[in-house]
Amino acid sequence: MLRHSGSWLLAAVVAAACLIGPARAQEKRWDPKESVVGGIEVYEARFDDTLLDVARRFGMGIEEMKLANPGVDLWLPGEGTAIRLPARFVLPSGPRRGIVINVPEMRIYYYPKNGGPVQTWPIGIGRLEYETPLGKTSVVRKKVGPAWYPTDTIREEYAARGEPLPRVVLPGPENPLGSHAIYLGLPTYLIHGTNRPYSIGMRVSFGCVRLYPEDIVELYDLVAPGTPVSLVDQRVKAGWLGDELYLEVHPNPDLPAEEARPSMTDAVRAIIKATPEDQQPPVDWKLVETALADANGVPVVVGNRMTGPDLARTRRGEAPRVPSPPS
């Protein structure tokens, strides 16, 4: 049977706020030759925006938006508030084939067979007690309008909170699988849409990987049975963009604050993996320490082939601003 999110947190309040159009102000396709893709931009909030609205509008998960915008109110950012859109990503290390899911980052990457540009979307993943598994598998089949067969455990959990479930939930607006499903070789796990878009970028499912309703349609049309799928755990990623070495650090939300940040050992391993064997990593370790302390998921420059470890005078340009949507 299929596992799927039984998430109900904030549903009544947030569902209406997140039912916005599927338009994206950013293209999600970049040069596959680089290890760092995309860019950081700034959006000026309208008076009626919530951070969840902005996250969906620009193809971001809510957790990555919160990490990139500390101190910004989730429900009322306020008109004119500058909201950082963390749309720059260090690609996960390892083969760039098919689907790569970096579970702690809550993001899925797709590498086309023809060597075209990588595409990426935010995802929702399993709760602590139903963790999304790691490992290698493949797409075995696809389905438009999937039915949901909740397990006995899921039905018991729903019943305990007064929401009894039938043994089969047919396709439709009440189906948690959304409109499209991609079935994997891992029994009971799949990639699918959702009828609760606010949950993207959160740990709320029973182990499955969910995408925004508009994003699952894009991915569904791109993949075919046999597409390889890798689920990895890379909280610290390092990669090059030109002569600059970037480090991207994600915290562990399931640990206390003092333990949630990855260690210097994690950063060193990622940097060594990203650096050719015949080169000494040109790293400013103070910047690495700062990146680990911030652990905000935003890639930052920690080294430069041209300047070596002295990056004190590295020039940092302001992020470009993007226009507000029409009123």
Side-chain angles (χ1 to χ4, degrees):
M1 291 185 179
L2 306 180
R3 284 183 179 166
H4 185 272
S5 166
S7 172
W8 52 272
L9 180 66
L10 305 178
V13 180
V14 186
C18 288
L19 292 177
I20 62 177
R24 292 288 195 274
Q26 300 171 343
E27 187 62 53
K28 296 192 292 296
R29 300 167 173 83
W30 297 289
D31 184 351
K33 297 178 182 179
E34 300 285 3
S35 294
V36 181
V37 297
I40 306 296
E41 295 183 324
V42 173
Y43 167 76
E44 191 171 296
R46 303 184 310 190
F47 76 95
D48 57 346
D49 276 329
T50 71
L51 207 58
L52 292 102
D53 293 332
V54 178
R56 186 175 180 188
R57 186 178 301 137
F58 292 99
M60 310 301 302
I62 187 58
E63 187 61 28
E64 59 191 353
M65 287 289 287
K66 289 165 60 179
L67 286 171
N69 294 278
V72 174
D73 190 275
L74 177 66
W75 302 109
L76 293 172
E79 185 170 9
T81 297
I83 298 176
R84 183 158 60 164
L85 305 174
R88 170 167 285 166
F89 311 101
V90 176
L91 298 178
S93 63
R96 298 178 183 177
R97 297 176 56 244
I99 293 172
V100 176
I101 300 169
N102 190 16
V103 175
E105 184 186 359
M106 288 188 277
R107 188 156 278 274
I108 188 170
Y109 296 85
Y110 173 68
Y111 300 92
K113 288 181 64 176
N114 62 6
V118 61
Q119 294 179 247
T120 181
W121 302 269
I123 58 174
I125 62 172
R127 292 150 38 186
L128 180 60
E129 63 272 34
Y130 296 103
E131 291 190 353
T132 299
L134 304 176
K136 295 183 181 299
T137 184
S138 64
V139 174
V140 295
R141 65 186 179 94
K142 307 190 300 180
K143 176 69 175 176
V144 176
W148 179 37
Y149 298 83
T151 64
D152 290 341
T153 301
I154 294 173
R155 295 179 70 237
E156 288 170 4
E157 181 173 317
Y158 269 74
R161 61 174 186 247
E163 301 176 33
L165 283 174
R167 293 197 175 274
V168 181
V169 179
L170 298 176
E174 300 303 316
N175 189 323
L177 298 186
S179 62
H180 295 66
I182 299 170
Y183 296 80
L184 306 178
L186 296 171
T188 75
Y189 295 99
L190 61 155
I191 302 169
H192 58 78
T194 180
N195 63 345
R196 293 175 177 175
Y198 68 89
S199 64
I200 301 304
M202 298 173 65
R203 297 194 59 157
V204 290
S205 82
F206 283 98
C208 287
V209 173
R210 57 170 68 169
L211 288 86
Y212 282 123
E214 54 272 20
D215 292 346
I216 186 61
V217 175
E218 285 190 50
L219 181 62
Y220 185 96
D221 289 340
L222 291 169
V223 302
T227 299
V229 178
S230 296
L231 296 103
V232 301
D233 182 356
Q234 297 181 20
R235 292 193 179 279
V236 182
K237 301 182 294 178
W240 293 90
L241 181 61
D243 289 323
E244 293 183 316
L245 176 64
Y246 281 78
L247 194 70
E248 179 179 329
V249 182
H250 295 266
N252 186 339
D254 302 316
L255 294 177
E258 63 275 11
E259 303 174 27
R261 298 177 181 86
S263 68
M264 178 62 77
T265 300
D266 298 321
V268 170
R269 287 173 177 165
I271 290 169
I272 290 175
K273 186 178 293 186
T275 305
E277 293 183 3
D278 59 345
Q279 293 184 18
Q280 179 73 20
V283 180
D284 185 325
W285 295 106
K286 290 184 178 180
L287 293 179
V288 173
E289 290 177 352
T290 299
L292 289 168
D294 291 342
N296 61 6
V298 177
V300 294
V301 177
V302 296
N304 190 304
R305 289 192 179 101
M306 305 302 293
T307 60
D310 181 13
L311 298 180
R313 293 187 297 275
T314 298
R315 299 180 66 180
R316 302 179 183 280
E318 291 187 2
R321 293 180 177 269
V322 296
S324 299
S327 300

